[in-house]
């Protein structure tokens, strides 16, 4: 039987791997997406309705603008989270246009269908912090996140291996508060 863990894991693989077809394993056809963006470092539409729009926003658009995308859930859902699950997240990616990096953190609020399919009916993605780093940091930053357990790890694992870089301080502060 599908679980919240299965749905959210499918989302990470779909988004990060530019595999929109995998979104069907995560989201209900009439899914509702809300984006709460608290930074000027990145922009997204505030809402998307239905699977096709969500695929466009969360997979195709990201793949058009970014590469080397790594997203992590910083807590794992269990069967107790069958209807609702919230967790912090971390993302790192590089811009296709100039190689500049984005490293961000925020919160996912998932709502799943009550039936056996356990598909996401509603997702609120809050982007609390998004830092921009120069392309010269690519190897160090992407090397760091590529070494984390994918796509699930704990905030303390992220902090313990985080490269020393002043631009990552807001990320570390956010994670320490989780």
């Amino acid at each position: 039987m599908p679980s919240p863990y299965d749905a959210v894991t499918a989302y990470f693989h779909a988004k990060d791997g530019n595999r929109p077809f995998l979104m069907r394993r995560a989201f209900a056809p009439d899914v509702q997406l809300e984006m709460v963006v608290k930074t000027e470092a990145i922009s997204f539409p505030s809402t998307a309705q239905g699977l096709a729009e969500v695929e466009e926003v969360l997979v195709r658009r990201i793949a058009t603008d970014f590469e080397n995308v790594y997203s992590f859930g910083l807590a794992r859902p269990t069967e107790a989270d069958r209807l609702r699950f919230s967790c912090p997240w971390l993302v790192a990616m590089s811009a296709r246009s100039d190689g500049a990096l984005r490293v961000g953190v925020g919160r996912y609020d998932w709502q799943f269908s009550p039936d056996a399919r356990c598909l996401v009916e509603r997702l609120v993605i809050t982007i609390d912090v998004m830092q921009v780093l120069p392309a010269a940091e690519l190897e160090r930053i992407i090397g760091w996140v590529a070494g984390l357990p994918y796509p699930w790890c704990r905030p303390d694992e992220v902090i313990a291996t985080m490269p020393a870089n002043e631009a990552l301080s807001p990320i570390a502060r956010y994670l320490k508060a989780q």
Side-chain angles (χ1 to χ4, degrees):
M1 176 185 298
S3 69
Y5 177 86
D6 296 328
V8 178
T9 299
Y11 158 78
F12 286 129
H13 288 284
K15 183 177 78 62
D16 294 357
N18 186 23
R19 296 180 184 99
F21 77 95
L22 287 179
M23 295 293 267
R24 295 171 186 106
R25 296 182 186 172
F27 293 98
D30 58 348
V31 62
Q32 297 177 349
L33 171 67
E34 179 182 346
M35 300 285 294
V36 180
V37 181
K38 299 178 178 180
T39 174
E40 298 294 320
I42 199 161
S43 66
F44 284 97
S46 59
T47 62
Q49 302 292 317
L51 185 57
E53 281 187 29
V54 170
E55 286 175 352
E56 186 64 32
V57 170
L58 296 180
V59 179
R60 291 184 184 95
R61 179 174 166 208
I62 287 175
T64 298
D65 296 341
F66 297 97
E67 57 192 2
N68 302 309
V69 181
Y70 286 87
S71 303
F72 300 88
L74 302 180
R76 291 180 188 219
T78 67
E79 277 303 311
D81 302 306
R82 189 132 185 105
L83 295 178
R84 296 182 186 278
F85 173 66
S86 296
C87 71
W89 55 261
L90 167 76
V91 69
M93 56 197 169
S94 58
R96 288 186 183 272
S97 62
D98 62 6
L101 294 140
R102 303 288 190 286
V103 179
V105 287
R107 181 174 188 80
Y108 288 127
D109 293 296
W110 306 88
Q111 182 177 327
F112 303 96
S113 63
D115 59 19
R117 298 174 309 148
C118 196
L119 294 173
V120 179
E121 293 183 328
R122 178 171 168 74
L123 172 59
V124 178
I125 301 175
T126 303
I127 303 173
D128 287 312
V129 179
M130 185 67 66
Q131 296 296 102
V132 180
L133 290 87
E137 292 291 315
L138 177 73
E139 188 171 327
R140 203 158 67 122
I141 299 301
I142 297 302
W144 159 56
V145 295
L148 293 171
Y150 181 84
W152 302 100
C153 65
R154 297 181 323 269
D156 62 323
E157 291 174 294
V158 175
I159 294 167
T161 60
M162 184 179 286
N165 185 313
E166 187 57 36
L168 295 176
S169 295
I171 304 291
R173 279 193 298 278
Y174 182 91
L175 294 175
K176 286 177 184 172
Q178 299 307 306

Short mmCIF file of all heavy atoms in Angstrom, two decimals, residues 98-142:
data_model
loop_
_atom_site.label_atom_id
_atom_site.label_comp_id
_atom_site.label_asym_id
_atom_site.label_seq_id
_atom_site.Cartn_x
_atom_site.Cartn_y
_atom_site.Cartn_z
N ASP A 98 24.14 31.11 -15.32
CA ASP A 98 25.44 31.65 -14.90
C ASP A 98 26.17 30.80 -13.87
O ASP A 98 27.24 31.17 -13.41
CB ASP A 98 25.28 33.07 -14.37
CG ASP A 98 24.39 33.15 -13.14
OD1 ASP A 98 23.96 32.09 -12.61
OD2 ASP A 98 24.11 34.28 -12.69
N GLY A 99 25.59 29.67 -13.47
CA GLY A 99 26.23 28.78 -12.51
C GLY A 99 26.09 29.18 -11.06
O GLY A 99 26.55 28.46 -10.18
N ALA A 100 25.48 30.35 -10.80
CA ALA A 100 25.29 30.78 -9.41
C ALA A 100 24.46 29.74 -8.67
O ALA A 100 23.56 29.12 -9.23
CB ALA A 100 24.61 32.14 -9.35
N LEU A 101 24.80 29.57 -7.42
CA LEU A 101 24.12 28.55 -6.59
C LEU A 101 23.00 29.17 -5.77
O LEU A 101 23.08 30.33 -5.37
CB LEU A 101 25.14 27.91 -5.65
CG LEU A 101 26.19 27.10 -6.38
CD1 LEU A 101 27.54 27.30 -5.76
CD2 LEU A 101 25.79 25.66 -6.40
N ARG A 102 22.00 28.37 -5.53
CA ARG A 102 20.94 28.70 -4.59
C ARG A 102 20.94 27.59 -3.54
O ARG A 102 20.91 26.41 -3.88
CB ARG A 102 19.56 28.73 -5.23
CG ARG A 102 19.38 29.66 -6.41
CD ARG A 102 19.37 31.12 -5.98
NE ARG A 102 18.97 32.01 -7.05
CZ ARG A 102 19.74 32.36 -8.10
NH1 ARG A 102 20.94 31.85 -8.25
NH2 ARG A 102 19.31 33.22 -9.00
N VAL A 103 21.00 28.00 -2.28
CA VAL A 103 20.86 27.06 -1.17
C VAL A 103 19.75 27.62 -0.30
O VAL A 103 19.81 28.77 0.13
CB VAL A 103 22.17 26.91 -0.36
CG1 VAL A 103 21.98 25.94 0.80
CG2 VAL A 103 23.32 26.47 -1.26
N GLY A 104 18.73 26.80 -0.08
CA GLY A 104 17.58 27.30 0.64
C GLY A 104 17.01 26.30 1.62
O GLY A 104 17.30 25.09 1.55
N VAL A 105 16.20 26.82 2.52
CA VAL A 105 15.49 26.01 3.51
C VAL A 105 14.08 26.56 3.68
O VAL A 105 13.82 27.72 3.40
CB VAL A 105 16.21 25.97 4.88
CG1 VAL A 105 17.45 25.12 4.84
CG2 VAL A 105 16.54 27.38 5.35
N GLY A 106 13.22 25.69 4.14
CA GLY A 106 11.85 26.09 4.39
C GLY A 106 11.06 24.94 4.95
O GLY A 106 11.62 24.05 5.60
N ARG A 107 9.77 24.96 4.65
CA ARG A 107 8.87 23.98 5.23
C ARG A 107 7.91 23.46 4.17
O ARG A 107 7.41 24.21 3.35
CB ARG A 107 8.08 24.65 6.35
CG ARG A 107 7.12 23.76 7.06
CD ARG A 107 6.51 24.50 8.26
NE ARG A 107 5.73 23.59 9.04
CZ ARG A 107 6.23 22.73 9.92
NH1 ARG A 107 7.53 22.70 10.13
NH2 ARG A 107 5.46 21.90 10.59
N TYR A 108 7.67 22.16 4.22
CA TYR A 108 6.63 21.51 3.43
C TYR A 108 5.46 21.19 4.35
O TYR A 108 5.67 20.66 5.44
CB TYR A 108 7.10 20.17 2.87
CG TYR A 108 8.10 20.20 1.75
CD1 TYR A 108 9.28 19.48 1.85
CD2 TYR A 108 7.84 20.88 0.56
CE1 TYR A 108 10.19 19.44 0.81
CE2 TYR A 108 8.76 20.85 -0.48
CZ TYR A 108 9.94 20.14 -0.35
OH TYR A 108 10.83 20.10 -1.38
N ASP A 109 4.26 21.46 3.87
CA ASP A 109 3.04 21.04 4.56
C ASP A 109 2.23 20.24 3.54
O ASP A 109 1.67 20.79 2.59
CB ASP A 109 2.24 22.25 5.07
CG ASP A 109 2.98 22.97 6.17
OD1 ASP A 109 3.20 22.35 7.23
OD2 ASP A 109 3.38 24.13 5.97
N TRP A 110 2.20 18.92 3.75
CA TRP A 110 1.56 17.97 2.84
C TRP A 110 0.21 17.55 3.37
O TRP A 110 0.06 17.29 4.57
CB TRP A 110 2.42 16.71 2.73
CG TRP A 110 3.85 16.91 2.34
CD1 TRP A 110 4.89 17.16 3.18
CD2 TRP A 110 4.39 16.87 1.03
NE1 TRP A 110 6.06 17.27 2.46
CE2 TRP A 110 5.78 17.09 1.13
CE3 TRP A 110 3.83 16.66 -0.24
CZ2 TRP A 110 6.62 17.11 0.03
CZ3 TRP A 110 4.67 16.68 -1.34
CH2 TRP A 110 6.05 16.91 -1.20
N GLN A 111 -0.77 17.39 2.48
CA GLN A 111 -2.06 16.81 2.82
C GLN A 111 -2.32 15.70 1.81
O GLN A 111 -2.27 15.93 0.60
CB GLN A 111 -3.15 17.87 2.74
CG GLN A 111 -4.51 17.37 3.13
CD GLN A 111 -5.54 18.49 3.10
OE1 GLN A 111 -5.24 19.64 3.37
NE2 GLN A 111 -6.75 18.13 2.75
N PHE A 112 -2.59 14.50 2.31
CA PHE A 112 -2.74 13.31 1.48
C PHE A 112 -4.20 12.89 1.36
O PHE A 112 -5.00 13.14 2.26
CB PHE A 112 -1.92 12.15 2.07
CG PHE A 112 -0.47 12.46 2.23
CD1 PHE A 112 0.03 12.91 3.45
CD2 PHE A 112 0.41 12.35 1.17
CE1 PHE A 112 1.37 13.21 3.60
CE2 PHE A 112 1.75 12.66 1.31
CZ PHE A 112 2.24 13.09 2.53
N SER A 113 -4.50 12.19 0.28
CA SER A 113 -5.85 11.65 0.10
C SER A 113 -6.10 10.58 1.17
O SER A 113 -5.20 9.85 1.56
CB SER A 113 -6.00 11.06 -1.30
OG SER A 113 -5.12 9.98 -1.51
N PRO A 114 -7.35 10.49 1.64
CA PRO A 114 -7.65 9.52 2.70
C PRO A 114 -7.79 8.09 2.18
O PRO A 114 -7.89 7.17 2.99
CB PRO A 114 -8.97 10.03 3.27
CG PRO A 114 -9.61 10.78 2.14
CD PRO A 114 -8.48 11.36 1.34
N ASP A 115 -7.74 7.89 0.88
CA ASP A 115 -7.91 6.55 0.32
C ASP A 115 -6.58 5.79 0.29
O ASP A 115 -5.54 6.31 0.71
CB ASP A 115 -8.53 6.62 -1.08
CG ASP A 115 -7.70 7.42 -2.06
OD1 ASP A 115 -6.49 7.63 -1.82
OD2 ASP A 115 -8.25 7.84 -3.09
N ALA A 116 -6.59 4.60 -0.21
CA ALA A 116 -5.41 3.73 -0.24
C ALA A 116 -4.30 4.27 -1.13
O ALA A 116 -3.14 3.93 -0.93
CB ALA A 116 -5.80 2.33 -0.69
N ARG A 117 -4.63 5.15 -2.09
CA ARG A 117 -3.59 5.68 -2.99
C ARG A 117 -2.61 6.60 -2.27
O ARG A 117 -1.47 6.73 -2.67
CB ARG A 117 -4.23 6.43 -4.15
CG ARG A 117 -5.11 5.57 -5.03
CD ARG A 117 -5.83 6.39 -6.08
NE ARG A 117 -6.51 7.52 -5.47
CZ ARG A 117 -6.69 8.70 -6.06
NH1 ARG A 117 -6.27 8.93 -7.27
NH2 ARG A 117 -7.33 9.68 -5.43
N CYS A 118 -3.07 7.29 -1.23
CA CYS A 118 -2.23 8.18 -0.43
C CYS A 118 -1.49 9.19 -1.31
O CYS A 118 -0.28 9.37 -1.19
CB CYS A 118 -1.26 7.39 0.44
SG CYS A 118 -0.54 8.39 1.77
N LEU A 119 -2.22 9.85 -2.20
CA LEU A 119 -1.63 10.86 -3.07
C LEU A 119 -1.77 12.23 -2.44
O LEU A 119 -2.69 12.50 -1.66
CB LEU A 119 -2.31 10.84 -4.44
CG LEU A 119 -2.11 9.57 -5.26
CD1 LEU A 119 -2.98 9.61 -6.51
CD2 LEU A 119 -0.64 9.39 -5.62
N VAL A 120 -0.86 13.13 -2.80
CA VAL A 120 -0.89 14.49 -2.26
C VAL A 120 -2.05 15.25 -2.90
O VAL A 120 -2.12 15.37 -4.13
CB VAL A 120 0.45 15.21 -2.54
CG1 VAL A 120 0.40 16.64 -2.01
CG2 VAL A 120 1.61 14.44 -1.94
N GLU A 121 -2.93 15.76 -2.06
CA GLU A 121 -4.06 16.58 -2.53
C GLU A 121 -3.74 18.07 -2.42
O GLU A 121 -4.27 18.87 -3.18
CB GLU A 121 -5.31 16.28 -1.72
CG GLU A 121 -5.86 14.89 -1.94
CD GLU A 121 -7.14 14.63 -1.19
OE1 GLU A 121 -7.33 15.20 -0.08
OE2 GLU A 121 -7.95 13.86 -1.70
N ARG A 122 -2.90 18.41 -1.45
CA ARG A 122 -2.53 19.81 -1.24
C ARG A 122 -1.11 19.86 -0.71
O ARG A 122 -0.73 19.07 0.15
CB ARG A 122 -3.50 20.45 -0.25
CG ARG A 122 -3.18 21.90 0.08
CD ARG A 122 -4.30 22.53 0.89
NE ARG A 122 -3.92 23.80 1.46
CZ ARG A 122 -3.80 24.93 0.79
NH1 ARG A 122 -4.03 24.96 -0.49
NH2 ARG A 122 -3.44 26.05 1.40
N LEU A 123 -0.35 20.81 -1.23
CA LEU A 123 1.02 21.02 -0.76
C LEU A 123 1.26 22.52 -0.63
O LEU A 123 0.99 23.28 -1.56
CB LEU A 123 2.03 20.42 -1.74
CG LEU A 123 3.51 20.73 -1.49
CD1 LEU A 123 3.96 20.26 -0.11
CD2 LEU A 123 4.37 20.13 -2.59
N VAL A 124 1.73 22.91 0.54
CA VAL A 124 2.18 24.28 0.76
C VAL A 124 3.70 24.21 0.93
O VAL A 124 4.21 23.50 1.80
CB VAL A 124 1.53 24.92 2.02
CG1 VAL A 124 2.07 26.33 2.23
CG2 VAL A 124 0.01 24.92 1.89
N ILE A 125 4.41 24.93 0.06
CA ILE A 125 5.86 25.01 0.15
C ILE A 125 6.20 26.41 0.61
O ILE A 125 5.89 27.39 -0.08
CB ILE A 125 6.53 24.73 -1.21
CG1 ILE A 125 6.15 23.34 -1.73
CG2 ILE A 125 8.05 24.88 -1.07
CD1 ILE A 125 6.68 23.05 -3.13
N THR A 126 6.83 26.50 1.77
CA THR A 126 7.28 27.79 2.29
C THR A 126 8.79 27.87 2.10
O THR A 126 9.51 26.98 2.55
CB THR A 126 6.91 27.94 3.78
OG1 THR A 126 5.49 27.78 3.92
CG2 THR A 126 7.33 29.29 4.32
N ILE A 127 9.23 28.91 1.42
CA ILE A 127 10.66 29.17 1.25
C ILE A 127 11.01 30.26 2.23
O ILE A 127 10.68 31.43 2.04
CB ILE A 127 10.99 29.59 -0.20
CG1 ILE A 127 10.53 28.52 -1.18
CG2 ILE A 127 12.49 29.87 -0.33
CD1 ILE A 127 10.66 28.91 -2.65
N ASP A 128 11.67 29.88 3.33
CA ASP A 128 12.01 30.83 4.38
C ASP A 128 13.33 31.55 4.12
O ASP A 128 13.43 32.74 4.36
CB ASP A 128 12.06 30.12 5.74
CG ASP A 128 10.68 29.75 6.24
OD1 ASP A 128 9.80 30.62 6.23
OD2 ASP A 128 10.48 28.59 6.64
N VAL A 129 14.33 30.83 3.67
CA VAL A 129 15.66 31.39 3.42
C VAL A 129 16.18 30.84 2.10
O VAL A 129 16.09 29.64 1.86
CB VAL A 129 16.66 31.03 4.54
CG1 VAL A 129 18.04 31.61 4.27
CG2 VAL A 129 16.15 31.47 5.91
N MET A 130 16.72 31.71 1.26
CA MET A 130 17.36 31.27 0.02
C MET A 130 18.60 32.14 -0.17
O MET A 130 18.49 33.35 -0.31
CB MET A 130 16.42 31.41 -1.18
CG MET A 130 16.97 30.87 -2.48
SD MET A 130 17.18 29.07 -2.55
CE MET A 130 15.51 28.48 -2.45
N GLN A 131 19.76 31.50 -0.12
CA GLN A 131 21.02 32.21 -0.26
C GLN A 131 21.57 31.98 -1.67
O GLN A 131 21.47 30.90 -2.22
CB GLN A 131 22.03 31.71 0.77
CG GLN A 131 21.63 31.98 2.21
CD GLN A 131 21.56 33.46 2.52
OE1 GLN A 131 20.49 34.03 2.57
NE2 GLN A 131 22.71 34.08 2.69
N VAL A 132 22.18 33.02 -2.22
CA VAL A 132 22.82 32.94 -3.54
C VAL A 132 24.33 32.97 -3.32
O VAL A 132 24.85 33.85 -2.63
CB VAL A 132 22.39 34.10 -4.45
CG1 VAL A 132 23.06 34.01 -5.81
CG2 VAL A 132 20.87 34.12 -4.60
N LEU A 133 25.02 32.00 -3.91
CA LEU A 133 26.47 31.91 -3.81
C LEU A 133 27.05 31.92 -5.22
O LEU A 133 26.39 31.48 -6.17
CB LEU A 133 26.89 30.62 -3.10
CG LEU A 133 26.59 30.55 -1.60
CD1 LEU A 133 25.19 30.04 -1.35
CD2 LEU A 133 27.59 29.67 -0.90
N PRO A 134 28.29 32.38 -5.37
CA PRO A 134 28.89 32.45 -6.71
C PRO A 134 29.16 31.07 -7.30
O PRO A 134 29.36 30.09 -6.58
CB PRO A 134 30.19 33.22 -6.48
CG PRO A 134 30.50 33.03 -5.03
CD PRO A 134 29.18 32.87 -4.33
N ALA A 135 29.21 31.03 -8.63
CA ALA A 135 29.47 29.77 -9.35
C ALA A 135 30.78 29.13 -8.93
O ALA A 135 30.92 27.91 -8.99
CB ALA A 135 29.46 30.04 -10.85
N ALA A 136 31.73 29.92 -8.47
CA ALA A 136 33.03 29.38 -8.02
C ALA A 136 32.88 28.41 -6.85
O ALA A 136 33.77 27.60 -6.59
CB ALA A 136 33.96 30.53 -7.63
N GLU A 137 31.75 28.46 -6.16
CA GLU A 137 31.49 27.58 -5.02
C GLU A 137 30.82 26.26 -5.42
O GLU A 137 30.52 25.43 -4.55
CB GLU A 137 30.61 28.29 -3.99
CG GLU A 137 31.29 29.45 -3.29
CD GLU A 137 32.41 28.98 -2.37
OE1 GLU A 137 32.20 28.01 -1.61
OE2 GLU A 137 33.48 29.57 -2.43
N LEU A 138 30.59 26.05 -6.71
CA LEU A 138 29.85 24.89 -7.18
C LEU A 138 30.39 23.57 -6.64
O LEU A 138 29.66 22.79 -6.04
CB LEU A 138 29.82 24.83 -8.72
CG LEU A 138 29.12 23.60 -9.30
CD1 LEU A 138 27.62 23.70 -9.12
CD2 LEU A 138 29.47 23.41 -10.75
N GLU A 139 31.66 23.32 -6.84
CA GLU A 139 32.22 22.03 -6.44
C GLU A 139 32.07 21.80 -4.93
O GLU A 139 31.70 20.72 -4.49
CB GLU A 139 33.69 21.93 -6.85
CG GLU A 139 34.25 20.55 -6.64
CD GLU A 139 35.63 20.39 -7.24
OE1 GLU A 139 35.92 21.00 -8.28
OE2 GLU A 139 36.42 19.64 -6.64
N ARG A 140 32.33 22.84 -4.16
CA ARG A 140 32.25 22.69 -2.71
C ARG A 140 30.81 22.49 -2.22
O ARG A 140 30.54 21.60 -1.41
CB ARG A 140 32.86 23.92 -2.04
CG ARG A 140 33.33 23.67 -0.64
CD ARG A 140 34.37 24.67 -0.23
NE ARG A 140 33.84 26.01 -0.11
CZ ARG A 140 33.90 26.73 1.01
NH1 ARG A 140 34.49 26.23 2.07
NH2 ARG A 140 33.41 27.92 1.06
N ILE A 141 29.88 23.28 -2.75
CA ILE A 141 28.50 23.20 -2.27
C ILE A 141 27.79 21.96 -2.80
O ILE A 141 27.17 21.22 -2.04
CB ILE A 141 27.73 24.48 -2.65
CG1 ILE A 141 28.37 25.72 -2.02
CG2 ILE A 141 26.25 24.36 -2.27
CD1 ILE A 141 28.46 25.70 -0.50
N ILE A 142 27.88 21.71 -4.10
CA ILE A 142 27.20 20.54 -4.65
C ILE A 142 27.89 19.26 -4.16
O ILE A 142 27.22 18.26 -3.90
CB ILE A 142 27.10 20.61 -6.19
CG1 ILE A 142 26.26 21.83 -6.60
CG2 ILE A 142 26.51 19.33 -6.76
CD1 ILE A 142 24.83 21.87 -6.06
#
